[in-house]
């Protein structure tokens, strides 16, 4: 006899969270808040099309029971991540990045099988973090993730648990009957202690983020067939200077930049930041100086490499 079960976690951004993120002296493409997910698991694909959550973890599994014993088992699952803010004409915005799904081998016991799945990513929300000894903030992309556990028994019962998750934002857990079990996570912004994929300084983490950033750029704002040009910026070197002309857009693949306005550092930005749209779509002059805090790498996108439909949409959004 085949028995199927599932566990689902939906990560969403409550209104109170946006209200409590400190304001920094930059224009940010901040993700909108989400309405709390319903009491019963909705159509996740439709919810994603509505951009109504930040990410979702869907774990599905089955067991074959013969004579009261588990004869076979298997699992499937997927990660769904919201689109986040559009790459529009903002001073600083952050692209959404989906991390690889982590799905270890199931654990088998006497009359039970335990399945586990971790999904997550950067959710397109820039958040300020205090810089020790400085009067300004570091603006970086927020990562959110969940780890689900689904324990299936030979008698047909099952248990769903959220065994680990990012401390921010909220995570709604649904059991095999597809009904809401509980809501976890903080409204107050918290960094946490890294992610299951590592932290910013881990080579594997940086490589995964860079790869996904490039994929998203290639499918969203680059002309078909256009190649990303990469550039390394040495510590202390300026990528762009305030008031100077410029017609390129940049994506910070790895590193940190100080943002200087009128000679004063007003913020820092971290990897994943999309920079330079204002000059490309405005009067052609840079509104701030970007200076590398450490050796950094950027993707350089000339205005002639932007797809015409996307450039038109960006221009229209700027007019609004």
């Amino acid at each position: 006899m085949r028995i199927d079960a599932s566990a689902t976690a939906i990560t969403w951004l409550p209104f109170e969270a946006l209200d409590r993120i400190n304001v920094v002296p930059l224009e940010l493409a901040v993700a909108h808040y989400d309405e709390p997910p319903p009491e019963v698991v909705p159509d996740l694909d439709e919810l994603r099309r509505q951009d109504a959550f930040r990410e979702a973890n869907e774990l599905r599994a089955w067991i074959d029971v013969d004579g009261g014993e588990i004869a076979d088992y298997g699992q499937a699952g997927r990660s769904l991540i919201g689109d986040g803010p559009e790459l529009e004409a903002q001073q600083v915005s952050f692209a959404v990045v989906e991390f690889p799904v982590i799905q270890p081998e199931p654990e088998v016991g006497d009359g039970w099988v335990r399945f586990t799945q971790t999904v997550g990513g950067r959710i397109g929300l820039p958040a300020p973090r205090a810089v020790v000894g400085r009067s300004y903030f570091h603006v970086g992309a927020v990562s959110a993730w969940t780890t689900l556990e689904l324990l299936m028994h030979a008698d047909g019962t099952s248990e769903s648990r959220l065994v680990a998750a990012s401390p921010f934002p909220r995570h709604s857990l649904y059991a095999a009957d597809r009904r809401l079990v509980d809501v976890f996570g903080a409204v107050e912004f918290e960094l946490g202690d890294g992610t299951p994929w590592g932290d910013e300084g881990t080579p594997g983490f940086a490589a995964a983020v860079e790869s996904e950033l490039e994929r998203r750029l290639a499918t969203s704002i680059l002309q078909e067939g256009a190649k990303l040009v990469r550039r390394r910026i040495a510590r202390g070197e300026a990528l762009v200077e305030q008031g100077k002309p410029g017609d390129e857009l940049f994506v910070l693949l790895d590193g940190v930049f100080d943002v200087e306005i009128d000679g004063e550092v007003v913020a820092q930005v971290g990897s994943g930041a999309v920079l330079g749209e204002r000059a490309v779509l405005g009067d052609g002059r840079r509104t701030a100086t970007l200076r590398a805090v450490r050796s950094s790498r950027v993707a350089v996108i000339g205005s002639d490499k932007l797809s015409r439909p996307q450039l038109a949409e960006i221009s229209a959004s700027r007019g609004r």
Side-chain angles (χ1 to χ4, degrees):
M1 179 179 64
R2 172 68 59 92
I3 301 172
D4 296 288
S6 67
T8 305
I10 297 177
T11 298
W12 51 285
L13 192 64
F15 175 78
E16 307 94 287
L18 291 182
D19 193 46
R20 297 180 190 182
I21 291 178
N22 294 323
V23 176
V24 296
L26 291 170
E27 293 184 54
L28 300 174
V30 177
H32 59 75
Y33 72 90
D34 305 310
E35 296 293 340
E39 294 291 318
V40 178
V41 175
D43 182 330
L44 293 178
D45 293 301
E46 178 59 29
L47 209 62
R48 184 182 183 279
R49 282 190 289 270
Q50 297 171 8
D51 194 25
F53 60 77
R54 299 308 94 207
E55 61 101 1
N57 186 349
E58 184 181 50
L59 170 59
R60 291 176 283 110
W62 56 269
I63 57 175
D64 279 341
V65 179
D66 185 7
E69 301 290 331
I70 296 177
D72 199 5
Y73 56 87
Q75 75 180 99
R78 58 176 179 161
S79 166
L80 296 93
I81 195 160
D83 288 333
E86 295 292 333
L87 301 181
E88 298 177 351
Q90 307 292 333
Q91 182 67 38
V92 180
S93 58
F94 286 82
V96 167
V97 177
E98 183 174 357
F99 298 152
V101 174
I102 299 174
Q103 198 176 78
E105 284 295 316
E107 180 184 354
V108 183
D110 183 14
W112 56 266
V113 183
R114 179 182 287 111
F115 304 92
T116 307
Q117 177 172 283
T118 301
V119 311
R122 287 181 166 169
I123 59 175
L125 174 68
R129 307 158 194 181
V131 178
V132 177
R134 297 289 186 267
S135 60
Y136 50 83
F137 292 91
H138 174 92
V139 182
V142 173
S143 295
W145 55 275
T146 56
T147 298
L148 286 176
E149 178 183 281
L150 179 60
L151 182 64
M152 298 185 66
H153 299 273
D155 63 5
T157 60
S158 65
E159 303 162 37
S160 304
R161 289 203 306 142
L162 185 69
V163 295
S166 57
F168 176 88
R170 308 306 300 272
H171 312 286
S172 293
L173 172 66
Y174 296 84
D177 63 0
R178 303 185 65 79
R179 301 200 66 83
L180 180 67
V181 175
D182 206 348
V183 179
F184 306 87
V187 171
E188 299 287 350
F189 173 67
E190 297 180 45
L191 274 179
D193 298 318
T195 76
W197 298 266
D199 56 30
E200 295 285 346
T202 305
F205 179 88
V209 170
E210 182 173 329
S211 175
E212 179 63 13
L213 276 171
E214 292 181 353
R215 186 195 67 79
R216 290 185 64 85
L217 288 170
T219 58
S220 61
I221 64 176
L222 282 180
Q223 289 179 352
E224 185 176 355
K227 301 297 184 183
L228 281 177
V229 176
R230 296 169 183 79
R231 178 178 164 192
R232 185 168 291 280
I233 311 299
R235 178 180 178 182
E237 181 184 352
L239 174 65
V240 300
E241 295 186 25
Q242 184 179 359
K244 296 292 183 65
D247 63 355
E248 295 171 320
L249 177 128
F250 305 96
V251 179
L252 181 51
L253 299 174
D254 178 45
V256 178
F257 282 112
D258 278 341
V259 181
E260 303 174 3
I261 296 179
D262 298 331
E264 180 183 355
V265 177
V266 297
Q268 285 183 347
V269 290
S271 59
V274 182
L275 308 161
E277 298 96 324
R278 281 190 167 274
V280 174
L281 301 170
D283 62 4
R285 294 191 178 276
R286 303 299 185 185
T287 59
T289 296
L290 299 173
R291 193 176 306 279
V293 174
R294 59 179 174 84
S295 180
S296 303
R297 292 197 312 128
V298 299
V300 183
I301 306 170
S303 58
D304 61 328
K305 296 297 189 294
L306 292 169
S307 69
R308 291 185 181 274
Q310 182 66 16
L311 189 59
E313 173 59 26
I314 291 174
S315 298
S317 70
R318 184 178 176 82
R320 292 194 294 270

